[in-house]
């Protein structure tokens, strides 16, 4: 961690956006958008940190998963007003339910803690089975601080994608992409950012992957996104001829770098 910078604390970051997604039959991905409210720069450790699951009555029903030890060697410096992108993966129990849960995300090594209610694909609270006579249920989970960006840049935008969970082979997947400018500064869209879509389908052990690249409809957005503006962009992507369970990843790119992305589970059928 940079010696000249203090460690970010709980009061230094505010949650401005979140997107819950199921990324497989068991795994959920929670994308978090934070904004620095500090008056001076601070640093976040870029390392995998645990995610705890807690019952509505405050009882911890998911024991903390030890860190994998994998980490990025340098810390993330966060300037005042910057937008911070972070994410968390967690795996709930899929059995019978008795307790509605929330998750506690540890952002940074011994840094801020986010106590968040959990939704299942944005529709209903997931529940966790608690065995009779037991108050603890082990569930895997970890979080990671990804990047920080200045307001007014393409990298500060957030995206979330939705489309049908199933599609027929050879048909087009119409992905509805919500692009948000959660900052208080307008984001110019000149040059117009591109997007990249990847569809990976597993008919067996080896996936079949297809790519599609295009540009946002920046003219419809008047060449800029105003502060707090939210727009929806529809992109059609061929599903391919291979049937099976798959994952669709939609990424907004700046040059050759993916600055924000979202991924969803999708099934291609005959």
């Amino acid at each position: 961690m940079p010696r000249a910078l203090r460690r970010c604390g709980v009061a230094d970051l505010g949650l401005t956006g979140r997107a819950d997604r199921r990324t497989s039959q068991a795994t959920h991905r929670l994308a978090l958008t934070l904004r620095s409210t500090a008056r001076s720069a601070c640093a976040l450790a870029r390392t995998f940190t645990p995610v705890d699951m807690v019952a509505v009555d405050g009882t911890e029903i998911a024991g903390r998963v030890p860190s994998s030890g994998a980490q990025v060697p340098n810390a993330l410096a966060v300037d005042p007003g910057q937008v911070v992108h972070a994410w968390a993966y967690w795996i709930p129990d899929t059995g019978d339910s008795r307790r509605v849960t929330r998750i506690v995300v540890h952002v940074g090594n011994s840094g801020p803690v986010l106590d968040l209610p959990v939704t299942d694909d944005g529709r209903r609270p997931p529940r966790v089975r608690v065995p009779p006579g037991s108050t603890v249920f082990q569930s895997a989970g970890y979080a990671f601080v990804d990047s920080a960006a200045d307001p007014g840049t393409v990298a500060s935008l957030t995206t979330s994608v939705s489309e049908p969970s199933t599609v027929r082979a050879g048909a087009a997947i119409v992905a509805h992409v919500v692009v948000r400018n959660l900052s208080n500064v307008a984001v110019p869209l000149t040059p117009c950012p591109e997007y990249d879509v990847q569809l990976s389908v597993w008919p067996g052990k080896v996936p079949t992957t297809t790519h599609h690249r295009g540009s946002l409809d920046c003219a419809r957005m008047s060449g800029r996104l105003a502060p707090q503006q939210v727009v929806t962009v529809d992109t059609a992507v061929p599903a391919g001829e291979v049937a099976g369970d798959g994952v669709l990843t939609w990424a907004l790119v700046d040059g050759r770098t993916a600055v924000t992305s979202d991924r969803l589970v999708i099934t291609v059928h005959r």
Side-chain angles (χ1 to χ4, degrees):
M1 183 171 292
R3 295 181 179 179
L5 296 181
R6 62 182 179 83
R7 187 187 299 272
C8 295
V10 176
D12 294 320
L13 296 173
L15 180 68
T16 60
R18 54 176 289 176
D20 300 21
R21 291 290 181 268
R22 184 187 295 275
T23 59
S24 70
Q25 293 301 318
T27 307
H28 290 249
R29 179 180 185 267
L30 178 63
L32 303 171
T33 306
L34 314 168
R35 186 166 61 222
S36 171
T37 57
R39 294 184 178 180
S40 61
C42 60
L44 281 172
R46 298 182 66 190
T47 183
F48 289 99
T49 56
V51 170
D52 302 330
M53 298 180 68
V54 184
V56 289
D57 60 4
T59 304
E60 181 179 306
I61 57 177
R64 179 174 297 186
V65 178
S67 171
S68 65
Q71 58 183 327
V72 177
N74 61 315
L76 180 68
V78 182
D79 292 326
Q82 279 196 318
V83 175
V84 177
H85 299 293
W87 47 257
Y89 281 100
W90 57 281
I91 305 174
D93 182 30
T94 56
D96 295 334
S97 308
R98 294 200 301 174
R99 294 190 181 186
V100 179
T101 66
R102 68 183 194 272
I103 62 174
V104 177
V105 181
H106 301 255
V107 180
N109 187 14
S110 301
V113 175
L114 299 175
D115 191 346
L116 305 171
V118 176
T119 58
D120 184 356
D121 295 339
R123 290 189 295 271
R124 61 185 183 280
R127 299 173 182 269
V128 174
R129 179 181 60 201
V130 180
S134 173
T135 59
V136 177
F137 172 78
Q138 298 291 330
S139 175
Y142 60 91
F144 184 71
V145 177
D146 186 41
S147 62
D150 291 328
T153 63
V154 173
S156 69
L157 299 176
T158 63
T159 57
S160 58
V161 186
S162 63
E163 76 275 334
S165 58
T166 62
V167 64
R168 186 176 298 278
I173 304 172
V174 180
H176 305 289
V177 184
V178 179
V179 183
R180 297 178 173 89
N181 177 14
L182 298 175
S183 72
N184 295 320
V185 180
V187 177
L189 301 178
T190 51
C192 187
E194 294 185 317
Y195 62 86
D196 183 86
V197 184
Q198 174 178 300
L199 175 64
S200 297
V201 179
W202 280 263
K205 292 184 178 181
V206 180
T208 298
T209 302
T210 58
H211 287 268
H212 175 75
R213 197 176 180 98
S215 296
L216 293 179
D217 187 0
C218 295
R220 186 172 65 85
M221 292 180 264
S222 301
R224 68 193 291 269
L225 280 182
Q228 305 299 320
Q229 185 176 0
V230 179
V231 297
T232 301
V233 180
D234 290 345
T235 55
V237 184
E241 299 297 334
V242 178
D245 293 329
V247 173
L248 183 139
T249 302
W250 194 99
L252 183 65
V253 296
D254 187 7
R256 303 178 67 178
T257 304
V259 295
T260 180
S261 63
D262 196 11
R263 55 187 298 175
L264 291 177
V265 174
I266 190 167
T267 301
V268 180
H269 61 88
R270 295 293 182 189

